Amino acid sequence: LMLAALPFAMNMAFAAKAEKAAAPAADAPTLSAEDKAASGKTYFERCAGCHGMLRKGATGKNLEPQNTTKLGSSRLEKIMTYGTEGGMPNFDDILSKKELADMAKYVQMPADVPPEWGMKDMKESWKLVVPVAERPTKQMNDVNLKNVFAVTLRDSGEVALINGDTKEIWGIVKTGYAVHISRISASGRYVHVIGRDGRYDLIDMWYKEPKIVATMKAGYEARSVDTSKYKGYEDKYAVVGAYWPPQYAILDGETLEPLKLVSTRGVTVDGEYHPEPRVASIVSSHDKPEWVINIKETGMIKLVDYSDIANLKEVTINSAKFLHDGGFDSTKRYFLVAANASNKIAVVDTKEGKLAALVDTAKIPHPGRGANFTHPKYGPVWATSHLGADVITLIGTDPKGHPEQAWKVVQELKNHGANSLFVKTHPNSKNLWSDAPLNPDPELAGSVSVYNIDELGNPDAKSQVINLAAAADLGKTKGLQRVVHGEYNEKGDEVWFSVWTGNKTEPSAIVVVDDKTRTVKKVIKDKRLVTPTGKFNVYNTQHDVY
Ligand code: DHE
């Protein structure tokens, strides 16, 4: 299989296998076959993640014809062009007027039901590029692997591995389209990357230059991956979650051979059937042979025991609908996940295998993996920012030492804007950083807020707002320069942000900030750095340090 051509192949296969949904209403807008196919491709690349393949809604609103036809073409086009305060980004910088007008019509037409992708398809897509026995037996380079950053080059379908010590690009590998996350194997040797188009690549960092040693396709759309981290299972298994078809697969951790496939279709916490319960975040326990797998639309959190995959045990925890992203508290006992369109954070006690709490928050929390630190007044807390509100929420995470504050919102800090995606700190840092990349205002999208953690006991604590897009000095671009996703280096004395122009024909950059002085230490600019978004430091990702 020609994996490099997958986004294209995907569309062809998709078009060929897609079942047509019910015929459109007589007065519904229409598009030529060519324009419909083009809009379908854009919908998959830009919209399906939030609104769902079947357009039933999750992070974004339900876009089925019974709702969209009420809004009509001109209103829909405005929303898509300019975005909304509710978290919908503007698309006028990446889509043309015609594309926006066509998309406004497209979403008023019935959604096509996409095809399945079963074990047979997975096995046929699987390619073991280098068998384990033929791989290096020791590290063949002198790179400090712990401080390498795996950087998503979203629109070029690549991952750059950047040497964190020298800030030089060590290697670029061709991956799936718009890699969503990179996760590191327990040994720290392998980088597991999952593309939005479901292509999953395993990168071996022991070669002279990073090299893909295995690849497979986990579905048509995917966002999450992790590996087995418990003692005795290091690098043994991998798990990959798909958005479409709604399912997760367990694979061999060193070869990506598909071993087991589990569907996530079923009823929601309300007891209603849902045809598209997508797999959102996955984390791997360090204390048990277990993954925490979050099913978006059902609001169910699965604790999957991988010690006997032939007789797989799943504990199903009911929380709240629209589970999305999350991370551990500092002890790694509790996992906190955003039920984003429910405006809640669900807390799972992985030791007891139970829901510890459901915490109400401001609109649409979006933590990434969140940020853990000790608050001067409230003790250990975990933080999230929000897509739908200009605040950073702090939640107490220490039921033993600080029972009054545990699983309560102890403080809301002001963020410089709504439409934030990620917060970040590090155990060696006194700073809490937050972005607002999806804000339609260029000044806010290009800036970050930073708080001094030691000052948070003062209710009037103020943040410093720094425009890092300006610091990158990319000149005028058509696309908004969105500053996104802070990530620390291994030592915790530098924090890296992407300046993402959202368009592969325009320049982007990575800005490295000295954490102590909050001044720019280095701007990494390189024509090979096409639309950088997520950055994953090997050590911090391997050990869940955030
Ligand atoms: Fe993400 C994490 C889904 C849009 C960059 N994103 C996640 C996770 C999920 C998810 C389920 C958690 C994975 C995990 O931890 O196992 N993201 C989605 C979407 O459905 C959504 C809203 C729309 C879409 O079409 O994909 C979406 N995400 C984006 C972007 O537009 C971002 C900014 C740029 C991009 O590359 O596409 C983006 N998402 C990220 C990043 C993470 C992430 C950088 C990892 C954060 C971390 O620190 O772990």
Side-chain angles (χ1 to χ4, degrees), residues 49-50 154 179-181 183 196 223-224 243 280-282 324-325 368-369 421-422 424 484-485 500 533-534 536:
C50 287
R154 190 187 183 285
V179 160
H180 219 83
I181 61 168
R183 294 291 188 242
R196 168 178 302 247
R223 297 291 185 283
S224 50
Y243 264 17
S281 48
I282 302 179
H324 193 77
D325 50 349
R369 284 162 290 170
L421 291 178
F422 302 108
K424 191 67 78 174
V484 66
H485 198 243
W500 166 35
T533 53
F536 304 92

Side-chain angles (χ1 to χ4, degrees), residues 354-515:
K354 281 186 180 153
L355 188 74
L358 261 182
V359 186
D360 287 306
T361 66
K363 250 178 114 179
I364 320 184
H366 193 287
R369 284 162 290 170
N372 287 296
F373 59 91
T374 303
H375 190 285
K377 215 162 145 189
Y378 305 120
V381 296
W382 176 90
T384 179
S385 58
H386 294 255
L387 264 166
D390 58 353
V391 295
I392 304 167
T393 300
L394 309 186
I395 294 172
T397 58
D398 180 22
K400 272 226 173 82
H402 297 79
E404 295 282 290
Q405 281 82 29
W407 320 133
K408 303 228 165 69
V409 174
V410 294
Q411 195 169 9
E412 271 186 349
L413 304 168
K414 183 155 170 40
N415 195 30
H416 60 286
N419 309 74
S420 171
L421 291 178
F422 302 108
V423 283
K424 191 67 78 174
T425 188
H426 186 279
N428 297 339
S429 169
K430 287 291 168 200
N431 287 326
L432 172 66
W433 300 84
S434 174
D435 63 15
L438 297 187
N439 202 293
D441 179 335
E443 178 64 30
L444 301 180
S447 298
V448 291
S449 289
V450 50
Y451 280 91
N452 182 337
I453 287 166
D454 285 343
E455 289 171 6
L456 295 181
N458 174 354
D460 300 324
K462 291 260 174 322
S463 68
Q464 184 185 354
V465 179
I466 309 174
N467 189 325
L468 290 178
D473 194 22
L474 293 173
K476 216 174 142 36
T477 53
K478 185 172 164 279
L480 235 60
Q481 297 172 8
R482 304 176 191 272
V483 170
V484 66
H485 198 243
E487 175 76 341
Y488 275 86
N489 62 343
E490 182 205 353
K491 278 195 200 139
D493 61 4
E494 286 170 0
V495 57
W496 295 30
F497 285 95
S498 302
V499 186
W500 166 35
T501 317
N503 188 326
K504 68 174 162 193
T505 59
E506 296 199 287
S508 288
I510 291 174
V511 178
V512 179
V513 180
D514 180 278
D515 188 58

